[in-house]
Amino acid sequence: MTLDRELGYRGQLLRAWQTAKTGSPLPPWAHDIAELEQRAQRIELVSPHVVPGLLQSPGYMELIMRRNFLTPASIGHLLKARAKRYEVLAANGDPDITSVFPVTAITLVPDTVRREQAARLVELIDTKHVEVHLIPQEDLLVGLMSPLMMFYLAEGGEIAASEHVRGAIIYGEMEEYDRLHDRIKAALGRALPPARSRRFLEGEICR
């Protein structure tokens, strides 16, 4: 790991060793999103439609679950498990998080949920470990079909994943990573800077 980092191979040397050892470029724990979150020193989240799950308030989580036609019993169980997801992560590594998503993820939900979610995001921004970049309403994240996550690991290297209806897909092919990095940079380039994003959220709390 140290050699990979010192030579600037961005995890490629580590993956080659892992492939030679196990036949897979990724260690077994890399297929668990919760484990990736805890091992990361920095996380980038880009979502084309909704607030990333790690940053959702309880009311926002419940709204998403209801619109996915989950049963009340399932919703109650999932909310109990996920309500303090960020707090658990903050207590176990506290990575820096950069998130990009459209303002419509906030403005097009019911008023009570909108205010709760906006307040939650401002609270997270104030930890100094979460940065929010909002995509203006007149813009779109064209080309991004599903949420994209990039985990920069404390031990070196990075692992990318995207979220789909049937669960998260982990990218094991390094040749994909340059393209994924370009998508993240393109999304950040279209988004509002953190200070303007925070002011927008403060306005949504009061509206």
Side-chain angles (χ1 to χ4, degrees):
M1 292 182 288
T2 302
L3 182 61
D4 181 279
R5 184 167 54 248
E6 290 298 322
L7 293 175
Y9 281 113
R10 289 173 48 192
Q12 294 182 65
L13 187 60
L14 193 59
R15 286 169 190 263
W17 173 81
Q18 182 71 34
T19 302
K21 183 181 178 184
T22 67
S24 169
L26 299 175
W29 54 259
H31 296 274
D32 184 330
I33 294 297
E35 185 76 19
L36 283 171
E37 289 174 348
Q38 291 195 12
R39 285 176 175 261
Q41 64 180 0
R42 184 162 61 91
I43 302 172
E44 292 174 335
L45 306 170
V46 183
S47 175
H49 307 299
V50 299
V51 176
L54 186 59
L55 309 182
Q56 290 176 4
S57 69
Y60 199 96
M61 288 182 198
E62 183 175 0
L63 176 67
I64 297 296
M65 292 174 191
R66 289 187 185 282
R67 291 188 178 179
N68 277 283
F69 304 104
L70 296 181
T71 65
S74 296
I75 290 173
H77 175 74
L78 287 170
L79 283 175
K80 186 176 180 180
R82 298 181 183 180
K84 295 295 183 179
R85 186 177 166 194
Y86 177 82
E87 282 73 12
V88 170
L89 180 59
N92 293 276
D94 205 12
D96 292 324
I97 298 170
T98 300
S99 61
V100 185
F101 54 91
V103 297
T104 50
I106 301 292
T107 59
L108 296 183
V109 298
D111 287 346
T112 54
V113 177
R114 171 175 53 79
R115 286 190 286 267
E116 178 192 280
Q117 181 62 69
R120 174 62 170 166
L121 289 167
V122 170
E123 175 189 350
L124 293 176
I125 291 167
D126 287 344
T127 68
K128 307 302 182 185
H129 286 280
V130 175
E131 196 172 87
V132 171
H133 296 258
L134 296 174
I135 300 291
Q137 185 166 339
E138 62 272 14
D139 209 341
L140 292 172
L141 286 176
V142 176
L144 191 66
M145 304 304 294
S146 60
L148 175 61
M149 300 167 276
M150 188 71 73
F151 303 94
Y152 298 87
L153 305 178
E155 61 260 40
E158 58 210 39
I159 294 177
S162 59
E163 202 168 354
H164 297 266
V165 173
R166 293 188 177 183
I169 293 176
I170 310 296
Y171 292 89
E173 303 81 13
M174 275 303 295
E175 57 267 22
E176 289 281 340
Y177 277 55
D178 285 341
R179 181 174 64 87
L180 297 175
H181 278 296
D182 286 343
R183 288 198 173 184
I184 292 171
K185 286 189 289 186
L188 283 167
R190 305 181 82 91
L192 299 174
R196 286 186 60 189
S197 296
R198 190 186 194 284
R199 287 198 296 272
F200 178 89
L201 293 167
E202 289 173 333
E204 290 303 302
I205 296 171
C206 303
R207 184 162 70 85

